[in-house]
Amino acid sequence: MLFWHVPAPNEALLISGSKRQAQDTQFRIVTGHGSFVMPIKQKARMLSLALREAEISEDCVTQQGIRLNVRAVTVFKVGDDSVSISNAARRFLAEQDRMEELVGRIFAGHLRSIIGGLTVEQIIRERDRVAQEVKAGSHNEMEKLGIVVDALQIQEIEDATGYITNLAAPHAAAVASQARIAQARSDQEAAQREQEAAALKAQYERDTAIKRAGFVAETEQANARAAQAGPLASAKASQEVIEEQTALAQRQANLAAQRLEAEVRRPADAEAYRQRTLAEAQRDRAKFEAEGEAYRRTTLATAEAQAIRVQADGTAYAERTTAEAQAAANDARAASLRNGNQELIAANRVVENLPALVDAAARGIAGSNLTILNGTEGVNQVAAGIVGQGLAILDALKQSTGAVSRAAATPPADPS
C-alpha cells in the first residue's frame, strides 16, 4: 500500500512525527515488521543495518621508531538494539554512504596509538593482540556511534626501511635451505625410483629379448641343422684343417725361432766373445810390450851410464898407473946411471917403454866393447890385472938389476 512501509530484514524503519514512542527517543523505530505512516503528519526513513567494511591504510611509528604502513580491514554494522539504532540514526542517517570513511578514520587513530606502544616483533607475532587492543580502545566511541564491530584484521604490514625483511632473512634462508634440502631429497628419491623403475623395465626387456632371442636361436639352429647338415660337416672339416694348419704354422714358427737361435744368435754371441777376447789379448800384449820396451830402455840407459862410469874410472886409473910407472922408471934410470951398469941401462929402456905399454893396454880396454858382468868391480879387477902385470915386470927388472949390482959389488974370490 502507499502508506504502509515494511523494512527489509537488514533495515530499520525510522518514523518521526508520531506521538507514540516506545523508547526514549524522538522517533519510532520499527524492525522486522511493517508500519502505517500517515502522510504529511509522519515521515519515514530507512537506516541500513547491513554489514559494512572499512579498509584502513595508515603510516604508523613503532616503539622502536620504525615507520610501518599498516593495512587493516574492519567489519562493522549498526547495532540491532534500539539504543544503537537511535545513536546511529542521529549521526549517520543523512550520511550513511560516508559511514565507512568515518569509522575508518576512528580506527586509524586507535591503530596508530596501539602500534606506537609495540615493537615490530610484537606487531608481527601478535596481530590478534593488536586487533583486540584496537577494538577495545574504540569500544566506547563505537558504542556512542551505535556501531558494533564484528571483526578487525591486520591484513598487511609494509616496511619501507627493510627491517622486517632483514628480520625475516635468517628464517627465510633457513626455510629456503630446508626447502632446497627437501626438494633435493625428493628429487633424489624420485630419480632413484625412476632409476629403479627404468632398471626393472630394462631388466624385463632384456630378459624378454634374451628369451625371444633364445627361442629364435633354437628355432634357427634347428632349421640350420636340418638344412645345413652337409655344409656343417664341411665347415667342421674345414675347421679341423684350419686348426691343423695353425698348429703346423706354430711348429714352423718355433722351428724358425730355434734355427735363428742356433744359426744367428749363438754364432753372433760366439763371434762377439771371440772379438772381445782378441781385443783383450791385444790390449794385454800391447801393455806387456810397452812395459818390456820401457824396461829395456831403462836397462840400456843404466848399462850405458855404468859403461860411461867404467870408462871414466879406467881412464883415470890408467893415467894414475902410467904416472906411477913413469916415476918408478925415472927412479930406476937414475939408479942405473949412478952405477953405470949396462944391464940397468937395458932395464931402463924397458922401464921407459913400460908406461907406453900400460897406456896402450888402458886405451885398448877403454875402446874395446867388453861385457862386464859384475859392474865397476869387474872393471877394477881388469885394470888391476893389467897394472899387476906391469908391476910384475917392474919387480923382475928390479930383481935382475939388484943381482947385477950385488955381483958387481962383490969382490972376486981369492984363488989361494
Side-chain angles (χ1 to χ4, degrees):
M1 296 176 66
L2 181 61
F3 304 109
W4 183 258
H5 294 269
V6 180
N10 59 347
E11 290 180 341
L13 177 63
L14 304 178
I15 303 172
S16 59
S18 175
K19 295 182 179 180
R20 294 184 300 107
Q21 298 177 359
Q23 298 87 6
D24 187 13
T25 60
Q26 298 177 356
F27 49 86
R28 184 160 55 94
I29 301 172
V30 178
T31 58
H33 58 85
S35 176
F36 180 78
V37 179
M38 296 180 62
I40 303 173
K41 187 178 180 179
Q42 295 180 337
K43 186 176 183 180
R45 298 288 300 273
M46 293 291 182
L47 178 64
S48 175
L49 303 180
L51 193 66
R52 297 174 181 269
E53 177 182 343
E55 293 184 356
I56 304 168
S57 179
E58 193 69 21
D59 287 336
C60 306
V61 179
T62 65
Q63 184 182 5
Q64 301 161 316
I66 299 174
R67 184 176 296 277
L68 300 177
N69 182 268
V70 181
R71 293 180 61 189
V73 61
T74 179
V75 178
F76 65 95
K77 65 182 290 297
V78 176
D80 294 332
D81 60 289
S82 300
V83 177
S84 298
I85 294 173
S86 176
N87 294 335
R90 290 189 179 96
R91 292 169 175 82
F92 301 111
L93 184 60
E95 296 180 349
Q96 296 187 46
D97 296 337
R98 296 185 58 199
M99 188 178 295
E100 292 86 352
E101 180 182 355
L102 297 175
V103 173
R105 290 179 180 178
I106 295 173
F107 276 106
H110 287 284
L111 185 63
R112 284 196 303 269
S113 177
I114 298 301
I115 288 179
L118 299 175
T119 63
V120 177
E121 289 81 357
Q122 291 174 338
I123 296 171
I124 295 173
R125 296 171 185 172
E126 302 176 5
R127 294 192 180 188
D128 291 340
R129 173 187 170 184
V130 175
Q132 292 299 327
E133 290 184 0
V134 172
K135 287 172 64 177
S138 61
H139 176 72
N140 294 330
E141 296 177 357
M142 294 297 107
E143 186 178 3
K144 291 178 182 180
L145 296 175
I147 294 175
V148 178
V149 178
D150 291 341
L152 175 64
Q153 295 294 330
I154 306 297
Q155 288 185 327
E156 186 177 358
I157 300 174
E158 295 180 357
D159 177 18
T161 62
Y163 183 86
I164 297 177
T165 303
N166 295 331
L167 187 65
H171 303 285
V175 173
S177 177
Q178 294 176 359
R180 287 195 298 271
I181 293 173
Q183 184 64 36
R185 290 178 179 174
S186 177
D187 294 342
Q188 182 179 2
E189 292 177 357
Q192 185 175 359
R193 292 178 181 177
E194 289 178 358
Q195 291 177 357
E196 292 176 356
L200 292 175
K201 181 179 179 181
Q203 183 177 1
Y204 176 76
E205 292 177 354
R206 183 197 63 186
D207 294 341
T208 304
I210 291 173
K211 291 180 180 179
R212 185 181 295 108
F215 296 152
V216 173
E218 290 177 0
T219 304
E220 291 180 354
Q221 185 177 5
N223 295 331
R225 282 197 299 268
Q228 300 290 335
L232 180 61
S234 177
K236 289 183 178 179
S238 300
Q239 182 178 2
E240 292 177 356
V241 171
I242 292 173
E243 291 177 355
E244 290 296 330
Q245 291 178 352
T246 303
L248 178 60
Q250 183 66 33
R251 289 195 295 271
Q252 290 178 353
N254 295 334
L255 180 60
Q258 294 177 359
R259 184 180 296 111
L260 179 63
E261 178 73 19
E263 295 179 357
V264 177
R265 183 176 179 180
R266 291 183 180 177
D269 293 341
E271 180 63 22
Y273 178 75
R274 186 181 70 82
Q275 294 292 338
R276 185 168 59 254
T277 304
L278 290 177
E280 291 177 355
Q282 186 176 2
R283 180 195 61 191
D284 295 340
R285 184 177 63 186
K287 180 178 179 181
F288 293 153
E289 288 179 356
E291 291 178 353
E293 181 65 22
Y295 180 76
R296 185 181 67 80
R297 291 182 179 180
T298 303
T299 305
L300 289 177
T302 304
E304 288 178 358
Q306 290 179 355
I308 293 171
R309 224 173 17 251
V310 168
Q311 183 177 0
D313 293 341
T315 303
Y317 186 77
E319 291 178 354
R320 187 172 62 252
T321 304
T322 301
E324 291 178 354
Q326 184 68 33
N330 291 332
D331 292 339
R333 185 181 298 113
S336 63
L337 289 176
R338 284 194 305 268
N339 295 325
N341 294 323
Q342 295 298 325
E343 291 84 357
L344 291 176
I345 294 170
N348 186 26
R349 289 305 220 184
V350 174
V351 171
E352 289 178 355
N353 294 324
L354 182 59
L357 293 175
V358 175
D359 187 16
R363 285 197 301 271
I365 293 174
S368 63
N369 188 8
L370 298 178
T371 301
I372 307 301
L373 299 178
N374 53 354
T376 306
E377 185 179 358
V379 175
N380 292 333
Q381 290 177 359
V382 173
I386 296 172
V387 174
Q389 291 178 3
L391 293 176
I393 295 172
L394 182 59
D395 290 337
L397 291 176
K398 287 181 179 180
Q399 290 176 2
S400 61
T401 305
V404 173
S405 298
R406 284 194 301 270
T410 303
D414 189 4
S416 61

